[in-house]
Amino acid sequence: MGGTMSPAMHWTNRIKGVAALDSATRTALEAAGRVVAMARGSQIFGPGQTPQNYLLLISGDIRVSQMSESGREIVLYRVLPGESCALTTICLLGGDDYTAEAIAETDIEAVIIPRAAFDDLLVRSPPFRQFVFAAFSHRVTDLFKLIDEIAFQRVDVRLAHKLIERAGGSGELAITHQQLASELGTAREVVSRQLQEFQRRGLIASARGSITLLDSTALARLASDDS
């Protein structure tokens, strides 16, 4: 894991869950941790690499995705400010190498805690152990939801939800059909056909690399359709 590093004094105040820990644990974390700044597009980790640090994100957005043998990418989850990376946690605990890739979608600032310090704190700090496993449990729940969506939910419903989610309040998003396919774990052709149908119905306007939501209300109704 590359990037520009600096001492991490007082970073614990910038992450809500960590700020709530006891002072002894926060002091130990600040002594061991280092703040890392990485540019947009940087690889945080990749398949086959061995994790050396526990990661907590201060600012920015990290995308964690996995590639199938056929070359199809699926976005597993995103790490947002205040969160840890679940895959890093499980690899550190199990002694395994990474099977997925993490990319900085924006410029990021994160704290890395060396493996030895992470292992030590897990043993001697029950509050830190609870913090780590609570975050891990939350992410595993999200992954089960993703599996359920891919297996059982209609593509049009999932696509409508993803468009609304990624557009935020702006009603516009800069994204390609392939990127949407990776987000949904399906083929680009499937997404392209569904976007064409949305455009035919007047729900969106699609241009190369961008999509404008024309009828967010109708898309929201579709996104909530669980039939």
Side-chain angles (χ1 to χ4, degrees), residues 20-32:
L21 297 175
D22 61 283
S23 59
T25 299
R26 294 200 312 272
T27 299
L29 285 169
E30 288 179 350

Side-chain angles (χ1 to χ4, degrees), residues 11-210:
W11 61 263
T12 55
N13 294 327
R14 302 173 62 187
I15 298 178
K16 183 177 180 181
V18 177
L21 297 175
D22 61 283
S23 59
T25 299
R26 294 200 312 272
T27 299
L29 285 169
E30 288 179 350
R34 291 293 181 270
V35 174
V36 179
M38 301 185 72
R40 176 183 179 182
S42 299
Q43 185 189 65
I44 313 301
F45 57 74
Q49 295 178 357
T50 301
Q52 301 297 330
N53 304 284
Y54 181 69
L55 179 144
L56 287 166
L57 191 62
I58 296 175
S59 64
D61 185 342
I62 298 172
R63 182 184 77 251
V64 180
S65 61
Q66 191 165 25
M67 192 76 70
S68 71
E69 292 184 359
S70 63
R72 179 180 297 174
E73 181 189 28
I74 179 171
V75 177
L76 300 176
Y77 58 87
R78 282 181 168 78
V79 183
L80 301 176
E83 296 181 346
S84 59
C85 176
L87 186 58
T88 296
T89 302
I90 197 169
C91 288
L92 285 172
L93 293 174
D96 298 319
D97 292 339
Y98 287 113
T99 57
E101 179 181 50
I103 298 292
E105 289 204 309
T106 65
D107 293 346
I108 69 165
E109 189 178 15
V111 172
I112 57 173
I113 300 165
R115 184 173 201 151
F118 172 77
D119 290 342
D120 179 61
L121 279 166
L122 275 184
V123 171
R124 64 184 179 89
S125 174
F128 179 69
R129 186 164 60 246
Q130 182 179 8
F131 168 79
V132 169
F133 284 105
F136 180 69
S137 174
H138 175 74
R139 186 62 71 191
V140 168
T141 300
D142 288 344
L143 288 173
F144 274 114
K145 290 179 181 176
L146 176 63
I147 293 170
D148 180 74
E149 289 174 1
I150 292 173
F152 303 114
Q153 201 171 73
R154 299 196 326 254
V155 172
D156 60 338
V157 172
R158 296 178 60 218
L159 179 56
H161 182 271
K162 184 60 64 176
L163 290 173
I164 293 171
E165 176 188 83
R166 294 300 302 274
S170 69
E172 296 185 4
L173 59 162
I175 196 166
T176 66
H177 293 195
Q178 182 58 60
Q179 288 170 329
L180 277 171
S182 297
E183 295 275 352
L184 299 176
T186 190
R188 182 186 60 79
E189 294 77 12
V190 173
V191 168
S192 295
R193 284 196 299 269
Q194 193 59 62
L195 287 173
Q196 288 173 359
E197 174 61 17
F198 283 177
Q199 185 156 299
R200 186 191 67 79
R201 293 162 58 184
L203 304 181
I204 66 167
S206 180
R208 186 175 182 84
S210 68

